[in-house]
Amino acid sequence: MAKLLLGTALVLLACLELGSAYRLVCYFTNWAQYRPGAGKYKPENIDPCLCTHLIYAFAGMKNNQITTYEWNDVILYHTFNGLKNKNGNLKTLLSVGGWNFGTQRFTAMVSSSGTRQVFINSVISFLHRYGFDGLDIDWEYPASRGSPPQDKYLYTVLVQEMMAAFEAEGRSTGRPRLLLSAAVAGGKSNIDSGYEIPELGKVFDFINVMTYDFFGPWSHTTGENSPLYPLPNSQSALNLELNVNYAMNYWKENGAPAEKLNVGFPTYGHTFRLSSSNTGVGAPASGPGPAGKYTRQAGFLSYYEICTFLKSATMKWNAPQVVPYAYKGNEWLGHDDVKSFRDKVEWLKNNNYGGAMVWDLALDDFSGTFCNQGPYPLINTLHTGLGISQVCVPSKTAVRLVVPPMQAPSGGGSSSSDGSGFCAGKANGVYADPKDKNKYYQCVNEVSYMKHCAAGLVFDPSCDCCSWV
């Protein structure tokens, strides 16, 4: 019996050390910091043990070089990448682009070998400077939205050259190779026009398919944000194509390895304004529902806002499409919930996909105060369903904080952002707080920014980093 118990214990230990075979990739958005009150979200709100990969959205581009976007990105990078001090297995990537970024700067950058090389060199330097493990490319979309047809081919060339440079840099320095991923379209027309799928499938470490926004307030009828399957008894091409199952199969059948594909999971829903007494899926609609209190965007609700909406709404389960919907007065909501996430995870595993991608961390009920389901109810459903290890081991090597010279964020001058005046007369850099070991100052052009190490960590001047006591 003792031998049996010992053997069982060893198997359990091995499973814990190996963790899940699946990825759980979660996006962080650097504009969530501007939401009011309980909706405000910053890197310190992230549970470092929740996801296997975190992607910071978004970086920008200037003169064919990757750049920061928000005034305080450098400060947020430190906290974001410092999460690896608490989870040594966590990988962090920086995403460049996004919907609002458009296509023009991508088109200019990929247009020649020289401009591509400028971008690639800037990426390698930038990622290492701030402690990221890789790059995520979110070009929406090659050869669409003003991007010319040749960008389909040039996108492939960029990706191939980027990976070759990552591999060469890793060999020459002895550092782990930087990771390369992409956020890609879930709609067939954008897939066909923008991607050489077999070639991309050979290069990317993983591919995040944006299997959401299939229907929204831009549609003339109500529809689900991320339905797993098409509506039955409808033969329209859009109905047959605009669903998770079709999009993922299309990527796989056209040459992307299933194990590299991550299924997109939205932690938000879309609202419509009904224009008739019909309240079902496909009912006539005349635009977006009202903006949420915290996300403040018409036709869009975070999951924590959805929970508030549902308290006074009629809820329905859309069994054929494996997602719920709800309505209240003339407002109609298509969304996901814990049940739909659980069902989709089982489908994901049955189809041998590599993992899940979440857009985004700040839209789940991250505080656990709105839905009475605990913190991050949707993402925790993925975490559990994918068998992500509950063991979160601190990094053996503290993440170093790097502070290059930069412009003062809001007009410069000698004013101190935290009122301390600590950085007056000091060079740009990171300094210990003489009164509190858990705090440190970031000095940028003599402006002071007080930062906190994560709980349980102290600032160590010998490495300019937060480390364990």
Side-chain angles (χ1 to χ4, degrees):
M1 177 62 78
K3 289 183 178 179
L4 179 60
L5 291 173
L6 177 60
T8 303
L10 288 172
V11 170
L12 288 172
L13 180 61
C15 289
L16 290 174
E17 289 178 346
L18 288 172
S20 171
Y22 297 102
R23 288 178 296 270
L24 178 50
V25 179
C26 303
Y27 279 87
F28 164 83
T29 52
N30 56 3
W31 60 90
Q33 62 179 312
Y34 302 122
R35 293 192 179 122
K40 184 186 296 290
Y41 193 88
K42 298 180 76 175
E44 45 263 40
N45 295 109
I46 300 173
D47 177 351
C49 302
L50 189 60
C51 308
T52 62
H53 298 71
L54 295 176
I55 302 183
Y56 188 109
F58 285 112
M61 192 189 304
K62 185 177 182 180
N63 298 325
N64 300 313
Q65 295 181 308
I66 193 168
T67 65
T68 57
Y69 185 84
E70 291 293 343
W71 66 272
N72 63 341
D73 272 337
V74 169
I75 299 169
L76 300 185
Y77 291 165
H78 293 160
T79 309
F80 186 82
N81 287 316
L83 295 167
K84 290 184 284 189
N85 287 329
K86 298 191 75 174
N87 180 359
N89 294 318
L90 181 64
K91 300 297 181 185
T92 61
L93 294 88
L94 178 63
S95 186
V96 59
W99 178 264
N100 291 333
F101 184 81
T103 62
Q104 185 176 358
R105 280 165 287 184
F106 277 120
T107 294
M109 181 267 292
V110 299
S111 63
S112 74
S113 175
T115 50
R116 291 193 302 272
Q117 198 58 50
V118 167
F119 179 69
I120 291 167
N121 290 340
S122 76
V123 164
I124 293 173
S125 172
F126 199 92
L127 295 179
H128 285 309
R129 182 186 308 160
Y130 297 115
F132 288 97
D133 299 303
L135 181 76
D136 178 70
I137 302 174
D138 189 357
W139 181 348
E140 300 185 30
Y141 300 101
S144 297
R145 301 181 68 213
S147 168
Q150 63 265 30
D151 282 355
K152 177 177 183 176
Y153 164 72
L154 292 173
Y155 178 72
T156 303
V157 175
L158 170 69
V159 170
Q160 291 170 336
E161 292 177 348
M162 182 81 70
M163 180 58 81
F166 283 3
E167 290 174 340
E169 190 266 342
R171 286 193 300 269
S172 66
T173 63
R175 291 187 289 211
R177 175 180 63 76
L178 291 166
L179 300 172
L180 186 58
S181 69
V184 299
K188 182 179 181 298
S189 61
N190 286 327
I191 297 171
D192 288 341
S193 64
Y195 308 108
E196 297 180 341
I197 294 178
E199 288 76 14
L200 297 176
K202 295 172 186 175
V203 180
F204 281 121
D205 289 298
F206 53 87
I207 298 170
N208 302 311
V209 187
M210 293 184 280
T211 46
Y212 39 72
D213 296 334
F214 285 123
F215 294 91
W218 54 86
S219 310
H220 297 298
T221 59
T222 60
E224 299 282 9
N225 180 33
S226 182
L228 181 54
Y229 299 114
L231 279 172
N233 305 320
S234 173
Q235 295 303 312
S236 77
L238 281 180
N239 173 63
L240 296 175
E241 295 171 6
L242 297 180
N243 57 83
V244 178
N245 182 69
Y246 182 92
M248 295 305 301
N249 282 338
Y250 197 74
W251 273 94
K252 181 171 63 175
E253 291 167 1
N254 282 276
E259 65 273 12
K260 287 190 175 186
L261 293 172
N262 296 330
V263 182
F265 285 77
T267 53
Y268 65 92
H270 284 303
T271 59
F272 303 72
R273 191 167 59 249
L274 294 170
S275 57
S276 76
S277 58
N278 188 344
T279 58
V281 179
S286 57
K293 178 180 178 181
Y294 299 99
T295 51
R296 299 180 292 186
Q297 177 183 338
F300 181 99
L301 292 178
S302 65
Y303 185 62
Y304 57 88
E305 291 169 326
I306 287 170
C307 287
T308 301
F309 178 89
L310 293 177
K311 289 178 181 177
S312 56
T314 300
M315 294 177 279
K316 298 286 186 179
W317 177 251
N318 178 354
Q321 299 193 288
V322 199
V323 277
Y325 68 92
Y327 54 90
K328 176 174 60 177
N330 71 339
E331 294 177 51
W332 194 96
L333 166 68
H335 66 291
D336 274 272
D337 61 7
V338 169
K339 175 173 169 49
S340 68
F341 266 39
R342 189 180 296 127
D343 291 345
K344 286 179 180 180
V345 165
E346 290 307 307
W347 170 88
L348 179 161
K349 293 191 292 188
N350 289 338
N351 285 276
N352 301 312
Y353 290 113
M357 173 271 281
V358 177
W359 185 272
D360 67 64
L361 284 160
L363 299 174
D364 200 354
D365 184 16
F366 58 89
S367 65
T369 57
F370 289 86
C371 302
N372 296 317
Q373 299 170 329
Y376 296 101
L378 294 180
I379 304 175
N380 264 309
T381 298
L382 300 179
H383 182 101
T384 301
L386 295 173
I388 308 298
S389 174
Q390 300 296 324
V391 177
C392 194
V393 182
S395 173
K396 294 178 181 178
T397 305
V399 176
R400 184 174 176 80
L401 304 171
V402 183
V403 185
M406 61 176 283
Q407 296 299 311
S410 52
S414 59
S415 63
S416 171
S417 69
D418 68 351
S420 70
F422 177 88
C423 290
K426 289 185 172 63
N428 287 347
V430 180
Y431 298 85
D433 184 329
K435 299 178 182 178
D436 189 335
K437 291 183 177 180
N438 180 253
K439 299 177 183 176
Y440 60 92
Y441 285 95
Q442 179 184 12
C443 296
V444 181
N445 296 345
E446 298 193 39
V447 180
S448 308
Y449 297 95
M450 176 170 281
K451 301 293 291 177
H452 295 260
C453 292
L457 303 182
V458 297
F459 181 77
D460 182 355
S462 70
C463 64
D464 285 352
C465 64
C466 293
S467 63
W468 297 98
V469 180

